Amino acid sequence: SQQGEEDPQALSIQEGENATMNCSYKTSINNLQWYRQNSGRGLVHLILIRSNEREKHSGRLRVTLDTSKKSSSLLITASRAADTASYFCATGQGGSEKLVFGKGMKLTVNP
Amino acid sequence: KAGVTQTPRYLIKTRGQQVTLSCSPISGHRSVSWYQQTPGQGLQFLFEYFSETQRNKGNFPGRFSGRQFSNSRSEMNVSTLELGDSALYLCASSPTALANTGELFFGEGSRLTVL
């Protein structure tokens, strides 16, 4: 079963705008990760935030984590056409459990 | 450092046949995970291997099997193929002993079409 659920499922914006994607999950986690996938390609890791962290930055990416609400958000600032891709959140529960991915969210950035 | 390599990239099979997919992880990574991706189900976990041992298995029928070799390379096999097995099969390696505690490095996938 899927752990993370991304919202919205699809988002279309203009270049230069900010894009915000949300992820909700159900069980306690060790970490939450965000991945990007260009059409038909493999996934690329973007950022990992641990359960004891609330916010993390990497370049134009900003991730927040609210463990009390079991939710995370990914903000991409000053979006570019090259950011067009599907974005997935994934949750790790620690121990020997598998990393569980959400169904993904498709972002389209129009030039 | 070379990335995760999956072969073949594309293949077409007919129902009832079997298929073997190969994955070479990043050098030094001993954890390998496999995922099936379809438009309807998204990314579904298949297996995770560490040091030749299957540590986790997803909810797939016994037709799906896998193994890992001493050099960390991994293979997965699907027997008696069904139309619903058409998917992108993704392999990922991890530098951490526990695959869910750090980032996964994905290959480009093997696109399987079953006719």
Side-chain angles (χ1 to χ4, degrees), chain B residues 74-104:
Chain B
S74 178
E75 286 182 349
M76 66 163 284
N77 184 77
V78 188
S79 62
T80 320
L81 284 166
E82 300 177 358
L83 295 178
D85 296 333
S86 294
L88 181 66
Y89 290 86
L90 292 163
C91 168
S93 71
S94 170
T96 59
L98 297 173
N100 76 110
T101 59
E103 71 174 281
L104 295 184

Side-chain angles (χ1 to χ4, degrees), chain A residues 4-5 10-11 18 39 41-42 46 57 59 64 69 77 81-82 88 91 95 97 105-106:
Chain A
E5 294 285 339
L11 180 64
N18 296 339
S39 182
R41 308 290 297 274
L46 295 175
H57 297 255
T64 61
K69 295 181 179 177
T77 59
F88 296 83
T91 51
E97 293 298 318
M105 191 222 80
K106 186 168 175 56

Side-chain angles (χ1 to χ4, degrees), chain A:
Chain A
S1 62
Q2 298 293 338
Q3 163 81 308
E5 294 285 339
E6 295 86 352
D7 170 61
Q9 291 191 324
L11 180 64
S12 182
I13 59 175
Q14 295 300 122
E15 222 170 13
E17 294 182 337
N18 296 339
T20 299
M21 291 160 263
N22 302 301
C23 171
S24 59
Y25 57 93
K26 296 173 184 168
T27 64
S28 60
I29 61 171
N30 169 283
N31 67 86
L32 187 144
Q33 305 179 35
W34 286 90
Y35 288 80
R36 183 189 74 225
Q37 183 181 37
N38 291 91
S39 182
R41 308 290 297 274
L43 279 73
V44 175
H45 181 264
L46 295 175
I47 196 163
L48 179 153
I49 186 165
R50 303 204 181 277
S51 58
N52 61 352
E53 297 175 309
R54 291 296 167 259
E55 187 172 313
K56 207 161 182 182
H57 297 255
S58 177
R60 295 184 295 113
L61 305 180
R62 173 179 169 255
V63 169
T64 61
L65 178 64
D66 187 334
T67 53
S68 66
K69 295 181 179 177
K70 291 186 168 57
S71 68
S72 171
S73 68
L74 171 68
L75 168 68
I76 303 175
T77 59
S79 63
R80 305 165 182 168
D83 294 328
T84 294
S86 291
Y87 290 81
F88 296 83
C89 68
T91 51
Q93 293 178 265
S96 60
E97 293 298 318
K98 58 186 180 289
L99 193 65
V100 179
F101 287 81
K103 287 188 180 260
M105 191 222 80
K106 186 168 175 56
L107 172 67
T108 302
V109 182
N110 301 298

Side-chain angles (χ1 to χ4, degrees), chain B residues 41-62:
Chain B
Q41 297 298 316
L43 276 156
Q44 300 283 318
F45 172 79
L46 281 158
F47 331 94
E48 180 196 336
Y49 289 90
F50 181 79
S51 291
E52 301 179 67
T53 300
Q54 186 180 86
R55 196 154 54 185
N56 254 315
K57 189 178 192 304
N59 293 326
F60 279 82

